[in-house]
Amino acid sequence: MVGAHRLLLVTPRAGDPRPSVAAGKAHGAFHTALLEGCRNQRILPMAYRLRDKGELYRHWSVAEPDGERDFDAERRGLLDAVLARDAGLAADRLAAHLEATHEVLVKGL
């Protein structure tokens, strides 16, 4: 988790008009690292499939940037909850992170 978060922080985000390919890969690595802590072998494959399908929507949402979001703070909050092994807080923060992306997408439509 720490390595994936660090990669996310140091990878240049700028692209035209979307984030760079490297930033997309770093983002994917961070969310994959979140899932790797799951020990439930029935849920994990479903979570990976949902994450992969959600990438399309994430790409659409970044076309409508939301200047009010602090992505670094959102991800740091996720990292902190995971490192503290607080599954409930991590789940709440991940849900809020995903919901914020959903809201941007809905506004853009």
Side-chain angles (χ1 to χ4, degrees):
M1 278 301 310
V2 173
H5 183 257
R6 177 76 180 135
L7 179 64
L8 199 54
L9 290 176
V10 301
T11 302
R13 295 180 187 160
D16 188 21
R18 301 179 190 279
S20 67
V21 171
K25 288 181 180 181
H27 178 265
F30 179 75
H31 281 274
T32 296
L34 283 171
L35 293 174
E36 287 176 346
C38 178
R39 289 184 232 143
N40 185 322
Q41 293 305 308
R42 291 181 181 211
I43 292 176
L44 192 56
M46 184 185 330
Y48 280 126
R49 283 193 304 274
L50 288 171
R51 190 242 10 237
D52 291 345
K53 291 186 183 306
E55 274 300 294
L56 173 63
Y57 299 104
R58 187 184 72 79
H59 285 286
W60 287 346
S61 75
V62 297
E64 297 292 332
D66 182 354
E68 297 177 18
R69 285 183 75 185
D70 184 346
F71 291 106
D72 290 340
E74 288 179 34
R75 293 172 186 143
R76 182 66 206 195
L78 277 165
L79 176 65
D80 291 345
V82 168
L83 293 178
R85 299 188 183 280
D86 188 335
L89 181 60
D92 290 346
R93 288 183 175 170
L94 180 58
H97 179 66
L98 297 174
E99 182 64 29
T101 299
H102 173 261
E103 290 300 320
V104 171
L105 180 59
V106 169
K107 283 182 193 175
L109 295 175

XYZ file of all heavy atoms in Angstrom:
839
model
N 0.825 -1.188 0.000
C 0.000 0.000 0.000
C 0.869 1.251 0.000
O 0.588 2.181 -0.739
C -0.908 0.013 1.230
C -2.174 -0.783 1.137
S -3.299 -0.324 -0.175
C -3.471 1.410 -0.028
N 1.885 1.242 0.844
C 2.726 2.431 0.945
C 3.430 2.699 -0.379
O 3.469 3.841 -0.856
C 3.738 2.287 2.105
C 4.733 3.433 2.108
C 3.007 2.199 3.441
N 3.960 1.652 -1.002
C 4.640 1.814 -2.282
C 3.703 2.294 -3.384
O 4.062 3.167 -4.177
N 2.505 1.729 -3.423
C 1.528 2.141 -4.439
C 1.108 3.592 -4.221
O 0.934 4.350 -5.180
C 0.314 1.216 -4.405
N 0.959 3.986 -2.960
C 0.592 5.372 -2.660
C 1.725 6.322 -3.066
O 1.480 7.374 -3.657
C 0.264 5.530 -1.169
C -0.189 6.894 -0.809
N 0.635 7.803 -0.183
C -1.373 7.529 -1.009
C -0.035 8.928 -0.012
N -1.246 8.784 -0.499
N 2.942 5.933 -2.774
C 4.103 6.769 -3.129
C 4.184 6.943 -4.646
O 4.427 8.039 -5.143
C 5.380 6.128 -2.577
C 6.636 6.848 -2.942
C 6.816 8.101 -2.127
N 8.048 8.747 -2.535
C 8.160 10.035 -2.762
N 7.129 10.828 -2.567
N 9.293 10.559 -3.143
N 3.988 5.847 -5.368
C 4.005 5.916 -6.832
C 2.941 6.882 -7.339
O 3.189 7.676 -8.246
C 3.780 4.523 -7.427
C 3.754 4.431 -8.953
C 5.108 4.822 -9.545
C 3.361 3.031 -9.384
N 1.782 6.832 -6.731
C 0.683 7.727 -7.111
C 1.074 9.188 -6.896
O 0.757 10.055 -7.711
C -0.556 7.374 -6.290
C -1.907 7.830 -6.760
C -2.198 7.416 -8.181
C -2.977 7.292 -5.839
N 1.776 9.449 -5.808
C 2.175 10.833 -5.499
C 3.250 11.371 -6.440
O 3.249 12.555 -6.760
C 2.672 10.932 -4.058
C 1.629 10.772 -2.958
C 2.306 10.796 -1.593
C 0.577 11.866 -3.050
N 4.178 10.520 -6.857
C 5.320 11.004 -7.641
C 5.109 10.913 -9.144
O 5.911 11.462 -9.904
C 6.634 10.275 -7.253
C 6.945 10.476 -5.782
C 6.589 8.807 -7.620
N 4.043 10.264 -9.586
C 3.796 10.125 -11.020
C 3.149 11.393 -11.559
O 2.129 11.838 -11.033
C 2.873 8.918 -11.296
O 3.493 7.746 -10.778
C 2.635 8.749 -12.782
N 3.751 11.987 -12.599
C 3.131 13.182 -13.191
C 1.718 12.874 -13.677
O 1.475 11.860 -14.301
C 4.041 13.517 -14.368
C 5.346 12.869 -14.042
C 4.997 11.624 -13.266
N 0.793 13.754 -13.348
C -0.613 13.543 -13.688
C -1.006 14.141 -15.025
O -1.977 13.716 -15.626
C -1.501 14.171 -12.614
C -1.350 13.501 -11.302
C -2.245 14.143 -10.289
N -1.950 13.577 -8.989
C -2.254 14.127 -7.861
N -2.878 15.276 -7.843
N -1.944 13.557 -6.736
N -0.301 15.161 -15.430
C -0.745 15.942 -16.582
C -0.757 15.127 -17.861
O 0.163 14.380 -18.160
C 0.146 17.160 -16.753
N -1.833 15.278 -18.572
C -1.998 14.729 -19.899
C -2.832 15.727 -20.672
O -3.183 16.777 -20.151
N -3.163 15.413 -21.888
C -3.925 16.373 -22.664
C -5.064 15.672 -23.379
O -4.808 14.944 -24.342
C -3.017 17.057 -23.661
C -3.691 18.208 -24.371
O -4.690 18.737 -23.843
O -3.228 18.577 -25.450
N -6.304 15.855 -22.979
C -6.815 16.623 -21.849
C -6.963 15.774 -20.588
O -7.333 16.258 -19.539
C -8.198 17.081 -22.333
C -8.658 15.947 -23.184
C -7.402 15.393 -23.838
N -6.688 14.502 -20.690
C -6.856 13.584 -19.565
C -5.524 13.341 -18.869
O -4.473 13.674 -19.397
C -7.428 12.262 -20.064
C -8.768 12.429 -20.745
C -9.270 11.086 -21.242
N -10.409 11.212 -22.098
C -11.649 11.375 -21.682
N -11.923 11.449 -20.417
N -12.639 11.472 -22.539
N -5.580 12.709 -17.689
C -4.328 12.379 -16.998
C -3.443 11.478 -17.861
O -3.923 10.775 -18.753
C -4.794 11.634 -15.751
C -6.186 12.103 -15.528
C -6.752 12.360 -16.896
N -2.171 11.494 -17.573
C -1.214 10.703 -18.337
C -1.489 9.209 -18.176
O -2.134 8.771 -17.224
C 0.206 11.013 -17.874
O 0.396 10.552 -16.538
N -0.971 8.421 -19.111
C -1.096 6.966 -19.036
C -0.418 6.466 -17.766
O -0.942 5.596 -17.063
C -0.482 6.307 -20.291
C -0.400 4.804 -20.137
C -1.291 6.679 -21.525
N 0.729 7.030 -17.438
C 1.449 6.626 -16.229
C 0.614 6.900 -14.979
O 0.597 6.095 -14.046
C 2.789 7.358 -16.138
N -0.090 8.027 -14.960
C -0.944 8.350 -13.812
C -2.089 7.343 -13.708
O -2.456 6.925 -12.609
C -1.492 9.769 -13.936
N -2.643 6.946 -14.836
C -3.700 5.939 -14.837
C -3.201 4.609 -14.294
O -3.897 3.942 -13.522
N -1.994 4.236 -14.671
C -1.416 2.981 -14.169
C -1.139 3.064 -12.672
O -1.381 2.103 -11.935
C -0.143 2.646 -14.932
C -0.412 2.187 -16.343
C 0.871 1.841 -17.075
C 0.556 1.381 -18.494
N 1.766 1.026 -19.223
N -0.646 4.207 -12.220
C -0.374 4.384 -10.790
C -1.679 4.339 -9.997
O -1.741 3.754 -8.911
C 0.367 5.699 -10.544
N -2.718 4.948 -10.541
C -4.032 4.921 -9.900
C -4.536 3.477 -9.798
O -5.011 3.038 -8.749
C -5.026 5.780 -10.686
C -6.398 5.777 -10.128
N -7.367 4.920 -10.584
C -6.971 6.496 -9.135
C -8.478 5.119 -9.908
N -8.268 6.072 -9.013
N -4.405 2.731 -10.884
C -4.821 1.335 -10.886
C -4.034 0.500 -9.885
O -4.598 -0.357 -9.192
N -2.736 0.757 -9.785
C -1.894 0.012 -8.837
C -2.315 0.301 -7.395
O -2.310 -0.597 -6.548
C -0.422 0.378 -9.049
N -2.701 1.539 -7.121
C -3.136 1.895 -5.776
C -4.418 1.140 -5.417
O -4.532 0.543 -4.347
C -3.353 3.411 -5.675
C -3.825 3.861 -4.317
C -2.953 3.916 -3.250
C -5.138 4.230 -4.115
C -3.390 4.321 -1.991
C -5.589 4.642 -2.866
C -4.703 4.690 -1.810
N -5.383 1.148 -6.332
C -6.640 0.470 -6.051
C -6.474 -1.053 -6.025
O -7.153 -1.738 -5.264
C -7.731 0.929 -7.016
C -8.307 2.253 -6.627
N -9.333 2.367 -5.723
C -7.972 3.522 -6.970
C -9.612 3.649 -5.537
N -8.798 4.366 -6.284
N -5.545 -1.583 -6.811
C -5.239 -3.011 -6.747
C -4.635 -3.347 -5.388
O -5.001 -4.362 -4.780
C -4.277 -3.410 -7.876
O -4.940 -3.202 -9.132
C -3.850 -4.865 -7.768
N -3.748 -2.508 -4.900
C -3.143 -2.739 -3.582
C -4.211 -2.743 -2.485
O -4.113 -3.515 -1.528
C -2.075 -1.683 -3.295
N -5.216 -1.900 -2.625
C -6.323 -1.905 -1.656
C -7.017 -3.268 -1.630
O -7.331 -3.793 -0.572
C -7.359 -0.837 -1.996
C -7.039 0.602 -1.664
C -8.080 1.530 -2.282
C -6.976 0.803 -0.170
N -7.219 -3.835 -2.806
C -7.926 -5.112 -2.904
C -7.069 -6.293 -2.459
O -7.597 -7.311 -2.005
C -8.405 -5.345 -4.337
C -9.483 -4.401 -4.847
C -9.759 -4.663 -6.329
C -10.747 -4.541 -4.039
N -5.766 -6.177 -2.584
C -4.895 -7.301 -2.267
C -4.958 -7.720 -0.799
O -4.582 -8.836 -0.469
C -3.456 -6.988 -2.674
C -3.280 -7.034 -4.176
C -1.893 -6.633 -4.628
O -1.125 -6.061 -3.824
O -1.582 -6.894 -5.792
N -5.454 -6.866 0.052
C -5.587 -7.223 1.457
C -6.782 -8.119 1.742
O -6.899 -8.676 2.834
N -7.637 -8.296 0.766
C -8.838 -9.116 0.951
C -8.462 -10.591 0.939
O -7.788 -11.065 0.032
C -9.845 -8.819 -0.164
S -11.343 -9.828 -0.063
N -8.919 -11.308 1.947
C -8.627 -12.749 2.015
C -9.815 -13.600 1.578
O -9.713 -14.818 1.550
C -8.210 -13.119 3.433
C -6.846 -12.582 3.759
C -6.408 -13.032 5.128
N -6.016 -11.812 5.848
C -6.232 -11.590 7.113
N -6.818 -12.479 7.859
N -5.851 -10.471 7.663
N -10.915 -12.960 1.245
C -12.107 -13.705 0.845
C -12.013 -14.014 -0.648
O -12.222 -13.148 -1.492
C -13.363 -12.894 1.156
C -14.628 -13.654 0.888
O -14.721 -14.405 -0.080
N -15.616 -13.447 1.738
N -11.708 -15.244 -0.972
C -11.490 -15.634 -2.362
C -12.774 -15.682 -3.191
O -12.711 -15.841 -4.402
C -10.768 -16.986 -2.416
C -9.350 -16.906 -1.876
C -8.518 -15.832 -2.572
O -8.431 -15.784 -3.794
N -7.919 -14.943 -1.785
N -13.910 -15.535 -2.567
C -15.159 -15.444 -3.328
C -15.454 -13.998 -3.715
O -15.993 -13.726 -4.776
C -16.321 -16.000 -2.520
C -16.222 -17.486 -2.357
C -17.372 -18.015 -1.587
N -17.198 -19.451 -1.442
C -18.187 -20.281 -1.374
N -19.427 -19.850 -1.418
N -17.952 -21.555 -1.246
N -15.110 -13.091 -2.856
C -15.387 -11.678 -3.108
C -14.307 -11.040 -3.978
O -14.603 -10.199 -4.817
C -15.527 -10.911 -1.779
C -16.791 -11.360 -1.053
C -15.530 -9.405 -2.006
C -16.967 -10.738 0.311
N -13.070 -11.439 -3.784
C -11.952 -10.784 -4.471
C -12.083 -10.775 -5.996
O -11.930 -9.710 -6.612
C -10.631 -11.418 -4.032
C -9.368 -10.692 -4.424
C -9.383 -9.257 -3.928
C -8.154 -11.424 -3.885
N -12.379 -11.895 -6.660
C -12.515 -11.831 -8.128
C -13.622 -10.870 -8.576
O -13.471 -10.158 -9.571
C -12.859 -13.284 -8.517
C -12.331 -14.115 -7.402
C -12.495 -13.267 -6.165
N -14.711 -10.834 -7.814
C -15.799 -9.912 -8.152
C -15.330 -8.464 -7.985
O -15.627 -7.602 -8.814
C -17.015 -10.165 -7.262
C -18.201 -9.311 -7.634
S -19.629 -9.463 -6.531
C -19.568 -11.116 -5.923
N -14.580 -8.210 -6.927
C -14.074 -6.852 -6.687
C -13.141 -6.424 -7.816
O -13.198 -5.278 -8.276
C -13.357 -6.796 -5.343
N -12.280 -7.325 -8.278
C -11.391 -6.997 -9.403
C -12.191 -6.698 -10.672
O -11.888 -5.745 -11.390
C -10.405 -8.133 -9.682
C -9.220 -8.174 -8.760
C -8.910 -9.326 -8.059
C -8.398 -7.063 -8.600
C -7.812 -9.369 -7.211
C -7.303 -7.095 -7.753
C -7.013 -8.257 -7.064
O -5.929 -8.293 -6.231
N -13.214 -7.495 -10.942
C -14.034 -7.253 -12.134
C -14.753 -5.909 -12.048
O -14.796 -5.151 -13.024
C -15.038 -8.389 -12.331
C -14.426 -9.641 -12.915
C -15.477 -10.629 -13.399
N -16.436 -11.013 -12.377
C -16.273 -11.995 -11.489
N -15.162 -12.695 -11.488
N -17.224 -12.276 -10.614
N -15.309 -5.602 -10.899
C -15.991 -4.317 -10.727
C -15.020 -3.154 -10.876
O -15.339 -2.141 -11.499
C -16.689 -4.262 -9.373
C -17.923 -5.133 -9.239
C -18.380 -5.165 -7.777
C -19.034 -4.643 -10.147
N -13.829 -3.308 -10.302
C -12.819 -2.257 -10.426
C -12.453 -2.044 -11.890
O -12.381 -0.920 -12.379
C -11.576 -2.630 -9.613
C -10.553 -1.521 -9.479
C -9.175 -1.737 -10.043
N -8.950 -2.880 -10.855
C -8.037 -3.806 -10.615
N -7.296 -3.746 -9.537
N -7.852 -4.797 -11.453
N -12.245 -3.133 -12.611
C -11.878 -3.020 -14.031
C -13.001 -2.372 -14.843
O -12.747 -1.516 -15.688
C -11.552 -4.399 -14.608
C -10.270 -4.984 -14.037
O -9.484 -4.228 -13.421
O -10.068 -6.207 -14.194
N -14.227 -2.764 -14.587
C -15.357 -2.166 -15.310
C -15.533 -0.696 -14.941
O -15.917 0.121 -15.765
C -16.629 -2.950 -15.049
C -16.603 -4.327 -15.682
C -17.903 -5.044 -15.537
C -17.846 -6.438 -16.115
N -17.410 -6.547 -17.475
N -15.232 -0.346 -13.717
C -15.343 1.032 -13.264
C -14.338 1.974 -13.890
O -14.526 3.196 -13.879
N -13.267 1.425 -14.457
C -12.245 2.271 -15.080
C -12.815 3.120 -16.202
O -12.428 4.273 -16.369
C -11.077 1.425 -15.611
C -10.031 1.134 -14.574
C -9.410 2.399 -14.011
O -8.716 3.130 -14.747
O -9.635 2.676 -12.822
N -13.737 2.583 -16.969
C -14.359 3.356 -18.041
C -15.021 4.603 -17.477
O -14.841 5.714 -17.981
C -15.387 2.502 -18.779
C -16.234 3.228 -19.831
C -15.351 3.763 -20.950
C -17.307 2.309 -20.357
N -15.770 4.441 -16.403
C -16.473 5.562 -15.793
C -15.495 6.552 -15.163
O -15.716 7.754 -15.200
C -17.486 5.054 -14.760
C -18.518 4.176 -15.402
C -18.467 2.798 -15.264
C -19.513 4.732 -16.203
C -19.402 1.990 -15.892
C -20.450 3.935 -16.834
C -20.389 2.563 -16.675
O -21.302 1.773 -17.302
N -14.413 6.023 -14.599
C -13.401 6.914 -14.028
C -12.809 7.786 -15.131
O -12.623 8.985 -14.963
C -12.296 6.124 -13.328
C -11.324 7.031 -12.576
C -10.187 6.237 -11.984
N -9.268 5.770 -13.003
C -8.329 6.528 -13.565
N -8.192 7.792 -13.240
N -7.523 6.025 -14.476
N -12.547 7.206 -16.292
C -12.008 7.991 -17.411
C -12.983 9.073 -17.839
O -12.587 10.179 -18.171
C -11.657 7.090 -18.599
C -10.413 6.314 -18.395
N -9.162 6.866 -18.447
C -10.236 5.004 -18.094
C -8.261 5.943 -18.214
N -8.883 4.798 -17.987
N -14.264 8.743 -17.840
C -15.257 9.758 -18.177
C -15.302 10.847 -17.119
O -15.482 12.020 -17.428
C -16.635 9.131 -18.305
C -16.839 8.307 -19.533
C -16.045 8.278 -20.648
C -17.892 7.394 -19.778
N -16.543 7.396 -21.562
C -17.681 6.837 -21.065
C -18.994 6.987 -19.045
C -18.532 5.899 -21.620
C -19.851 6.044 -19.596
C -19.627 5.509 -20.872
N -15.154 10.468 -15.863
C -15.266 11.464 -14.789
C -14.108 12.443 -14.812
O -14.276 13.602 -14.451
C -15.375 10.801 -13.412
O -14.135 10.297 -12.981
N -12.914 12.007 -15.228
C -11.790 12.945 -15.252
C -11.905 13.940 -16.390
O -11.231 14.960 -16.399
C -10.411 12.241 -15.285
C -10.194 11.422 -14.038
C -10.237 11.410 -16.536
N -12.803 13.662 -17.339
C -13.055 14.639 -18.398
C -13.826 15.835 -17.853
O -13.867 16.886 -18.475
C -13.836 13.992 -19.537
N -14.423 15.663 -16.689
C -15.159 16.733 -16.014
C -14.467 17.008 -14.676
O -14.930 16.574 -13.629
C -16.611 16.290 -15.763
C -17.404 16.011 -17.005
C -17.679 17.262 -17.803
O -17.745 18.358 -17.201
O -17.815 17.153 -19.020
N -13.319 17.692 -14.688
C -12.583 17.876 -13.440
C -13.394 18.613 -12.382
O -14.172 19.502 -12.685
C -11.355 18.683 -13.859
C -11.629 19.192 -15.218
C -12.731 18.385 -15.809
N -13.207 18.202 -11.167
C -13.900 18.796 -10.025
C -12.841 19.469 -9.163
O -12.140 18.796 -8.425
C -14.647 17.710 -9.252
C -15.434 18.266 -8.085
O -15.320 19.463 -7.800
O -16.163 17.488 -7.459
N -12.718 20.775 -9.256
C -11.697 21.503 -8.521
C -11.864 21.468 -7.018
O -10.968 21.872 -6.285
N -12.998 20.975 -6.544
C -13.251 20.940 -5.107
C -12.670 19.702 -4.433
O -12.573 19.652 -3.222
C -14.759 20.996 -4.850
C -15.378 22.290 -5.339
C -16.884 22.297 -5.141
O -17.393 21.492 -4.356
O -17.536 23.122 -5.791
N -12.281 18.706 -5.187
C -11.768 17.463 -4.603
C -10.277 17.555 -4.337
O -9.528 18.109 -5.126
C -12.010 16.290 -5.540
C -13.452 15.864 -5.534
C -13.683 14.673 -6.399
N -13.186 13.447 -5.786
C -13.196 12.281 -6.403
N -13.658 12.179 -7.633
N -12.747 11.209 -5.796
N -9.883 16.952 -3.241
C -8.463 16.829 -2.905
C -8.128 15.341 -2.981
O -8.237 14.617 -2.004
C -8.199 17.390 -1.505
C -6.725 17.384 -1.138
O -5.927 16.722 -1.836
O -6.378 18.035 -0.145
N -7.730 14.895 -4.179
C -7.458 13.479 -4.400
C -6.358 12.960 -3.481
O -6.449 11.842 -2.982
C -7.075 13.219 -5.862
C -8.212 13.412 -6.815
C -8.267 14.532 -7.627
C -9.214 12.474 -6.901
C -9.309 14.704 -8.517
C -10.270 12.636 -7.785
C -10.316 13.754 -8.597
N -5.319 13.772 -3.284
C -4.222 13.328 -2.414
C -4.732 13.070 -0.999
O -4.361 12.073 -0.372
C -3.091 14.356 -2.391
C -2.336 14.427 -3.713
O -2.424 13.460 -4.501
O -1.665 15.440 -3.956
N -5.593 13.932 -0.503
C -6.141 13.747 0.850
C -7.056 12.527 0.909
O -7.020 11.768 1.888
C -6.887 14.995 1.300
N -7.858 12.330 -0.135
C -8.732 11.158 -0.167
C -7.910 9.877 -0.107
O -8.207 8.958 0.667
C -9.580 11.146 -1.441
C -10.679 12.182 -1.461
C -11.480 12.143 -2.760
O -11.664 11.037 -3.335
O -11.929 13.216 -3.207
N -6.878 9.816 -0.925
C -6.055 8.603 -0.985
C -5.214 8.431 0.274
O -5.008 7.308 0.725
C -5.201 8.643 -2.240
C -6.072 8.545 -3.488
C -5.287 8.767 -4.736
N -6.169 8.811 -5.884
C -5.999 9.609 -6.912
N -4.979 10.436 -6.954
N -6.836 9.588 -7.919
N -4.752 9.532 0.825
C -3.999 9.443 2.077
C -4.904 8.923 3.198
O -4.474 8.132 4.037
C -3.411 10.813 2.452
C -2.580 10.806 3.706
C -1.354 9.973 3.497
N -0.874 9.442 4.757
C 0.312 8.918 4.931
N 1.159 8.850 3.932
N 0.669 8.438 6.091
N -6.141 9.365 3.203
C -7.092 8.875 4.185
C -7.330 7.377 4.049
O -7.414 6.653 5.044
N -7.413 6.908 2.811
C -7.546 5.470 2.564
C -6.318 4.726 3.078
O -6.434 3.715 3.776
C -7.702 5.203 1.065
C -9.084 5.344 0.484
C -9.022 5.415 -1.036
C -9.939 4.178 0.906
N -5.148 5.226 2.733
C -3.902 4.600 3.173
C -3.831 4.548 4.696
O -3.510 3.507 5.276
C -2.697 5.345 2.609
C -1.327 4.840 3.073
C -1.073 3.421 2.581
C -0.236 5.782 2.606
N -4.131 5.655 5.346
C -4.069 5.705 6.812
C -5.006 4.683 7.458
O -4.639 4.014 8.415
C -4.392 7.104 7.325
C -3.312 8.122 7.000
O -2.179 7.716 6.638
O -3.596 9.330 7.089
N -6.214 4.559 6.908
C -7.178 3.597 7.456
C -6.682 2.166 7.265
O -6.807 1.331 8.165
C -8.544 3.791 6.809
N -6.104 1.888 6.096
C -5.577 0.540 5.832
C -4.406 0.238 6.753
O -4.340 -0.846 7.349
C -5.182 0.395 4.346
C -4.381 -0.873 4.103
C -6.423 0.419 3.468
N -3.495 1.178 6.889
C -2.325 0.945 7.748
C -2.730 0.780 9.207
O -2.074 0.050 9.956
C -1.308 2.075 7.594
C -0.636 2.161 6.222
C 0.325 3.344 6.172
C 0.077 0.861 5.865
N -3.808 1.435 9.604
C -4.315 1.291 10.968
C -5.128 -0.005 11.120
O -5.576 -0.320 12.219
C -5.182 2.495 11.335
N -5.308 -0.707 9.997
C -6.104 -1.950 9.976
C -7.538 -1.725 10.464
O -8.131 -2.563 11.113
C -5.415 -3.053 10.756
C -4.066 -3.412 10.192
C -3.484 -4.637 10.867
N -2.155 -4.956 10.370
C -1.870 -5.593 9.249
N -2.842 -5.969 8.463
N -0.626 -5.853 8.902
N -8.049 -0.555 10.105
C -9.428 -0.203 10.451
C -10.292 -0.439 9.210
O -10.489 0.462 8.386
C -9.495 1.259 10.904
C -10.846 1.647 11.465
O -11.864 1.008 11.099
O -10.885 2.587 12.277
N -10.779 -1.670 9.078
C -11.527 -2.059 7.880
C -12.782 -1.218 7.691
O -13.127 -0.847 6.563
C -11.885 -3.543 7.940
N -13.473 -0.918 8.776
C -14.695 -0.125 8.670
C -14.422 1.271 8.136
O -15.113 1.757 7.238
N -13.391 1.913 8.681
C -13.029 3.261 8.225
C -12.529 3.220 6.784
O -12.887 4.084 5.973
C -11.973 3.870 9.148
C -11.509 5.279 8.803
C -12.680 6.262 8.840
C -10.404 5.720 9.778
N -11.725 2.209 6.451
C -11.225 2.086 5.076
C -12.389 1.911 4.108
O -12.419 2.538 3.047
C -10.254 0.918 4.965
N -13.365 1.082 4.470
C -14.522 0.869 3.611
C -15.329 2.156 3.449
O -15.768 2.489 2.342
C -15.402 -0.242 4.179
N -15.501 2.887 4.538
C -16.231 4.158 4.472
C -15.510 5.162 3.581
O -16.143 5.854 2.768
C -16.413 4.761 5.866
C -17.396 3.983 6.726
O -18.148 3.140 6.184
O -17.402 4.222 7.957
N -14.197 5.243 3.732
C -13.427 6.201 2.922
C -13.389 5.797 1.462
O -13.450 6.661 0.577
C -12.020 6.355 3.500
C -12.047 7.129 4.806
C -10.682 7.357 5.373
N -10.786 8.204 6.567
C -9.787 8.431 7.387
N -8.600 7.893 7.167
N -9.954 9.214 8.433
N -13.297 4.507 1.189
C -13.322 4.055 -0.201
C -14.684 4.341 -0.823
O -14.772 4.813 -1.954
C -12.989 2.565 -0.295
C -12.981 1.985 -1.708
C -11.994 2.725 -2.610
C -12.654 0.503 -1.665
N -15.740 4.082 -0.069
C -17.089 4.371 -0.575
C -17.242 5.862 -0.881
O -17.800 6.233 -1.917
C -18.139 3.912 0.433
N -16.745 6.717 -0.007
C -16.829 8.170 -0.234
C -16.006 8.569 -1.459
O -16.436 9.419 -2.262
C -16.352 8.924 1.007
N -14.844 7.958 -1.622
C -13.966 8.231 -2.760
C -14.670 7.854 -4.068
O -14.686 8.637 -5.030
C -12.672 7.427 -2.568
C -11.662 7.563 -3.649
N -11.009 8.750 -3.920
C -11.159 6.651 -4.513
C -10.150 8.551 -4.908
N -10.226 7.283 -5.288
N -15.278 6.684 -4.089
C -15.980 6.231 -5.287
C -17.243 7.058 -5.545
O -17.558 7.381 -6.693
C -16.335 4.748 -5.161
C -15.142 3.796 -5.065
C -15.617 2.383 -4.786
C -14.279 3.853 -6.309
N -17.951 7.403 -4.484
C -19.165 8.211 -4.626
C -18.844 9.596 -5.178
O -19.602 10.138 -6.003
C -19.887 8.327 -3.286
C -21.179 9.105 -3.350
C -22.254 8.472 -4.211
O -22.292 7.239 -4.346
O -23.078 9.233 -4.757
N -17.731 10.173 -4.751
C -17.342 11.496 -5.261
C -17.075 11.425 -6.760
O -17.455 12.336 -7.506
C -16.111 12.002 -4.506
N -16.450 10.350 -7.214
C -16.214 10.169 -8.652
C -17.550 10.013 -9.380
O -17.762 10.596 -10.440
C -15.312 8.950 -8.899
O -14.059 9.177 -8.259
C -15.083 8.720 -10.383
N -18.452 9.265 -8.788
C -19.781 9.071 -9.366
C -20.499 10.420 -9.510
O -21.114 10.703 -10.547
C -20.596 8.114 -8.485
C -22.011 7.985 -8.896
N -23.031 8.676 -8.288
C -22.589 7.261 -9.886
C -24.177 8.379 -8.873
N -23.940 7.523 -9.825
N -20.429 11.244 -8.485
C -21.100 12.551 -8.519
C -20.551 13.430 -9.646
O -21.309 14.125 -10.323
C -20.966 13.263 -7.177
C -21.784 12.622 -6.068
C -23.275 12.607 -6.374
O -23.799 13.596 -6.911
O -23.905 11.569 -6.107
N -19.235 13.402 -9.837
C -18.636 14.190 -10.927
C -19.153 13.684 -12.261
O -19.500 14.470 -13.156
C -17.092 14.117 -10.868
C -16.469 14.731 -12.101
C -16.567 14.802 -9.616
N -19.222 12.377 -12.410
C -19.710 11.791 -13.653
C -21.161 12.181 -13.910
O -21.523 12.582 -15.016
C -19.576 10.266 -13.602
C -20.054 9.509 -14.821
C -19.295 9.944 -16.066
C -19.913 8.020 -14.605
N -21.997 12.117 -12.900
C -23.406 12.472 -13.048
C -23.547 13.940 -13.431
O -24.342 14.283 -14.310
C -24.198 12.133 -11.764
C -25.587 12.741 -11.788
C -24.268 10.620 -11.576
N -22.763 14.805 -12.798
C -22.805 16.236 -13.153
C -22.432 16.455 -14.609
O -23.017 17.304 -15.291
C -21.841 17.039 -12.273
C -22.331 17.312 -10.891
C -21.282 18.152 -10.179
C -21.531 18.204 -8.694
N -20.458 18.924 -7.982
N -21.448 15.679 -15.087
C -20.979 15.828 -16.459
C -21.968 15.347 -17.504
O -21.941 15.761 -18.644
N -22.863 14.450 -17.079
C -23.849 13.931 -18.025
C -25.002 14.899 -18.145
O -25.755 14.966 -19.009
C -24.340 12.552 -17.579
C -23.283 11.463 -17.596
C -23.859 10.160 -17.010
C -22.789 11.193 -19.010
